Structure formats: C-alpha cells, structure tokens
Amino acid sequence: MKLGFRQKSILSMIFVSMIVSIALSAVLYNNSVDVIEENYTDSATNSLTVCAGMFDDMMREAYYTAINAATDTELQQLVQDYDSSTDPQILERLASYRNGSIDSVYCFLPSQSLALKVTQSEQLAQPCSEEDVLWMYRLTDVQDDPLSPQYVTDETSVVKKQIFTYAKPVHNTTDGQTVGYIIVNVDERDVYFSCLQGHGNPGRGSSYIITPDGRVASGTNLKLLGTQRKEPQDNMLVTSVTAPLSQYEMTIVADRSVITGDITRTRNQIFLIALLLNLLACILILVIVTKMLRPLKNLEETMDQVSQGDLTARTEVQSEDEIGRLSKGFNDMIGQVEDLIDQLVTEKLLKKEAEIEALKYQITPHFMYNTLNSIKYAAVLQNSSEIAEQLEAFIELLQLSASDRGAFITMEQEIHMVQNYTKLQLFRYANSFTVDFDVSPDIARCYVPSLLIQPLVENAILHGIDLKKSGGRIVVRAAKEGDMLAISVEDNGRGMTEDDLKQLMSGERRSKFSGIGVRNVRERLQLYYGEKGKLAFYSGAQYGTVAVITMPASYDAEEYTI
C-alpha cells in the first residue's frame, strides 16, 4: 500500500516521538542504575573499610599476644623445664593471655606430641596424635608474611572449627633452640559476628572474608568456608576492600537486580507514562498535520485540474510560509506556461510562413546550378577543358557552401573540397604557388565538420605566401595520432606578427570565399569537441605559418552531432 505525504508525515512524527521517548527513558534508567550501583558501591566500600579495620584490630591483638607469650621468660622457663607436674603452671600462664577477641591459646610441644590448651571452656594438657596436630606442624613452617594470620581448621577442638591463628616459637633460654610453639587463635564465628554481621553488609548482599590465596575464610554460608572463591557472574556486583595489615579481603557480593529493583519498577512506570503521552501526541500530531497540509491538498487538486488541460485553474494562497510561496510560485508558473503556449503557437505560424517563403527562393540556387552547368557543357563543346574544370570545381564549392555548415562530412570529402578550392585559386593567381597534400589513407572515412580546412588554406594564400613572387608553397597534412586526428596547414610565407594572430583568432580577418573565418573554425571545434578540439598557430618571419587542428578521430557521423 502506497502512503501519501500526509500519512508519511504523521507516521514520521509519531516514530520520532516514540524513539525520543524510548531513548530518553532508557538513558534516564541507565543513568539511574549507574547512580544506584555507584551509591551502593560507595556504601559497601565504607562498610567494608570499617570491617577491615576491625578485622585488622583483632588480628593485631592476636599477633602481639603470640609475640608476648612466646617471649615471656617465665613461660619460656616452664616450657623448657616441662614435665607433667608443671601443667597447671603453664596452663595458668597461658590463660593470662586469653582475653579480648582471642578464643584460645595453645602451647604445642612437638617433641612430646603434646598440646597444652586454654579455651573458654577448658584448660588441659592434651596428648595428640600426629594426625591431630598436623595443622600445628604446618603452622611451625616459616610464614611468607608474618603479619598475615593463617587460616586453618582446629582439629583438636571438641567441635572442629575454622580459626585465624598466629604461631610463634618458644626458644631455650640457654642455647636458643626451639622447645615449643605458642599458638594464638581467633574463632571465625567471633570474627563474623564482630565484623561482617555488624558492619560488613549494607543490607542487600552476601559478605565474605577472603584469604590472600583466594579461600573463603568467613561468611554467612558455613558450607563455603575453606573453599576456593568462585568467579562472580555478570549479574552480580562485587565490592572489595583489602585489610592493610592482614592482607585479607573483605568482599560483598550483591545481585544487581535486587539493588536496582526499585528503579526497575520505576522504569516500568516511566515506560507506561511515555506510552500514554505518545498516544496523546499521536492525536495532536494528526490534528496539527491535517491543518498544516490543507493548503497542499488544495494545491494537489489544482494540479489535477491543470493536468486535465484547464490552464485557468489557480490555487488559493492561504499563508506566507513555504507552502504559501509554493502555491504562489505554482500560480505564476501556470501563467507563464499559458503565455509560452501562446508564444509557441505564434512562432509556429510564423515558421510555417517562413518555410513557404523559403521554398520560393530555392528556385534561385537551382537556377544558378543549371545555368553554370550549361556554361560548363558549352565550354566542353568549345574544347575549353580548363574552363570546364574550373566551372565544375566552382559548382561543387557553391553546392557545399549552400549546404548545412554544421554537418559532418568525411575527411575524403573535405580534402576534395579543398582541392577544388585550390584549383580555382591556382587558376586565379596563374600557378604562382603550389599546394601539396599529405593525407594518411586510414583517415579517409573519419568524419570532420565541413569547411574545416578551407578557411586555413585561404588564410595561407591571402595572408601567408607572397602571391607576387613565385616559389610559394602550402602543405596540407592529416594523420591519426592515437585516438586523435591531427591536421596542419603550413606555408612558407612571410609569417605573422602577434597582432596579426590576435586579429585572426578574434575574427577580424574573415574568409572571402565561404564567409567562415578562422575564429569560426575554433568555435566550432570547441562546440563539437569541448576541450578535446583545439586550433593553434605557430608563425615566424623565417619559416612562415603553421596552423594545427587537433580533435578526436571519429568514424561515426552522429557521434559528435549536436
């Protein structure tokens, strides 16, 4: 179905309105989402920064407790002189270091596979199998970062639990040998409730503490403790802060859809409002466009009347805007068309009259040709062959000069016409000069404008060679050079000055025979061939004058016809 201008205008405006509304709503929604996520990230970062500070404070307390206990001289002596009778003294000394956020303090004696433990609920000396204390042996290895706690599972506890721990060696006061290790532990649950639950969650995400090697150290989901952290999905927003002392990472992972849930509902409301506004805009556009296009409808009806032949029809001009100017212009155009038709009818009648008048005058050229032919035959009967030849050449020249000068003829015909012209001139000037022709045979069928070479030969005879002296020579050359045709007329006469050349090219010197001057030759070359058709003169007192024509070589008479 083809739509009219009115329908296209209405649909275009509605389309633009809807696109603008949708684009604006989408931009506002995306900006709002970005702002909400940015605010959430800032809030989460602030919360995690507090959490990281508290976590570092707890780990700092455990770290210094482990150092203080390992360097306690009394405890060193008790460990060095250990036997079962000293258990109460060692346990009592260890208990003095269990305070604040510290969950338990162990003294591990590797040589006896014995762990002296002080916890919130018990104080005891516990013999341990190698499997039970394997995690303790691992703690005794040299740590890469002594400030960062080790995250392990306490296998010796009544209930296995995850702990953050520092292990420091106890040295023999005599020889400096390591006789045991002080292990200070912080319970993962204490860390969770102190840091994450109270400060590490702004309310819409899951918070975790991640070890430097990427394991989950603390969080809501106990099943994830100790497991390797997974890469978050694209729909999850991750905010992280690294604790400066412990290098543990505080992380909150939140679902983007939960964070932006409120703005999503608002977006749906915006789209609904935009839809209602677009429907209202459609009604307003329909009314406005209909009113705006009423003058165009009137113009269309007037055009239909004109197309049916009623040139008296005029459209009503209702405004001064573009449509009003268009209507006025249409009325003016119809008026001009009406005047032009009247003018064409008048000119056609005058042309018919001129053609009838021209038919009458065609009798005169035919009468001249017949009369000259009669004289030629009389000369033949009187054995005057030279006069007969001159009359025959003259008749051909008259016939050509009376024909259409804009027509194209073959190069062979053009050269034949020039030869006839030179016969007459040689007869007139008693063979005081010679004319030679050097024409390549392959261009005989090339088409050139008629009377192209004759004005140049005539100029060479009248203004080039000295007719009062013998030895004058004119050479006409023509050859094909690539796709171009080159024609030259050369004389060995007296040459021309710059003023003579200007007069020649300006048309002040005209051909006496044909009435076609050199300027006319140049203008016809430009008319037919444009920049490809050129006429140039080269002249000097010592070598005469050379006229050179260059133009496209054509074997089609209609190729350059105007």
Side-chain angles (χ1 to χ4, degrees), residues 96-379:
S96 65
Y97 289 101
R98 200 198 73 77
N99 51 41
S101 60
I102 297 174
D103 176 69
S104 59
V105 180
Y106 296 172
C107 179
F108 174 52
L109 304 177
S111 60
Q112 303 183 42
S113 296
L114 180 68
L116 302 168
K117 303 171 55 178
V118 175
T119 66
Q120 184 178 3
S121 58
E122 60 183 356
Q123 297 180 6
L124 57 90
Q126 180 180 359
C128 302
S129 66
E130 186 174 349
E131 293 180 357
D132 292 337
V133 296
L134 184 61
W135 64 277
M136 293 187 185
Y137 279 107
R138 291 172 181 169
L139 291 178
T140 61
D141 295 338
V142 178
Q143 301 180 31
D144 294 334
D145 185 359
L147 296 179
S148 180
Q150 298 294 309
Y151 177 74
V152 296
T153 302
D154 187 354
E155 302 286 351
T156 63
S157 177
V158 177
V159 178
K160 293 182 179 181
K161 59 183 178 179
Q162 305 298 122
I163 58 174
F164 301 92
T165 182
Y166 288 96
K168 298 297 178 182
V170 178
H171 299 293
N172 190 314
T173 56
T174 304
D175 55 13
Q177 295 292 322
T178 300
V179 294
Y181 291 91
I182 298 297
I183 300 174
V184 178
N185 308 312
V186 179
D187 188 2
E188 175 272 332
R189 286 290 90 185
D190 291 341
V191 171
Y192 172 77
F193 289 114
S194 299
C195 299
L196 296 184
Q197 191 178 55
H199 302 278
N201 191 342
R204 300 187 186 182
S206 301
S207 51
Y208 302 95
I209 298 178
I210 308 298
T211 66
D213 60 359
R215 290 179 296 148
V216 179
S218 182
T220 306
N221 190 348
L222 296 177
K223 294 181 179 180
L224 297 179
L225 300 183
T227 62
Q228 200 70 23
R229 174 175 58 181
K230 296 180 180 180
E231 290 295 327
Q233 298 178 355
D234 293 338
N235 64 328
M236 306 302 289
L237 183 63
V238 180
T239 307
S240 300
V241 172
T242 300
L245 173 70
S246 61
Q247 296 301 305
Y248 275 62
E249 186 179 294
M250 313 292 122
T251 301
I252 294 178
V253 180
D255 192 334
R256 293 179 186 271
S257 61
V258 175
I259 297 174
T260 60
D262 295 338
I263 192 62
T264 300
R265 288 188 290 272
T266 304
R267 177 200 61 184
N268 297 335
Q269 295 174 357
I270 292 174
F271 283 150
L272 179 60
I273 294 173
L275 178 60
L276 295 176
L277 291 176
N278 274 289
L279 291 176
L280 178 60
C282 292
I283 298 174
L284 294 176
I285 289 172
L286 180 61
V287 174
I288 294 172
V289 170
T290 301
K291 184 176 181 180
M292 288 177 58
L293 296 182
R294 187 174 294 117
L296 282 180
K297 183 67 175 177
N298 296 336
L299 180 59
E300 181 185 8
E301 293 174 355
T302 305
M303 291 174 64
D304 290 337
Q305 294 176 356
V306 172
S307 64
Q308 295 174 5
D310 183 7
L311 295 179
T312 63
R314 297 292 185 272
T315 186
E316 181 182 358
V317 180
Q318 299 179 352
S319 62
E320 295 295 331
D321 58 7
E322 289 82 354
I323 297 178
R325 291 195 295 271
L326 178 64
S327 300
K328 184 177 182 301
F330 177 78
N331 290 339
D332 295 341
M333 180 188 69
I334 296 303
Q336 293 176 3
V337 169
E338 193 172 10
D339 294 340
L340 287 174
I341 290 176
D342 294 339
Q343 182 180 349
L344 287 174
V345 171
T346 302
E347 290 180 353
K348 189 172 183 181
L349 292 175
L350 293 175
K351 184 178 179 181
K352 285 294 183 182
E353 294 177 359
E355 290 176 353
I356 294 172
E357 191 69 20
L359 289 174
K360 297 177 182 179
Y361 288 104
Q362 284 184 354
I363 300 172
T364 300
H366 288 291
F367 174 74
M368 292 174 61
Y369 300 151
N370 294 335
T371 302
L372 289 172
N373 278 321
S374 298
I375 296 173
K376 182 186 73 171
Y377 292 132

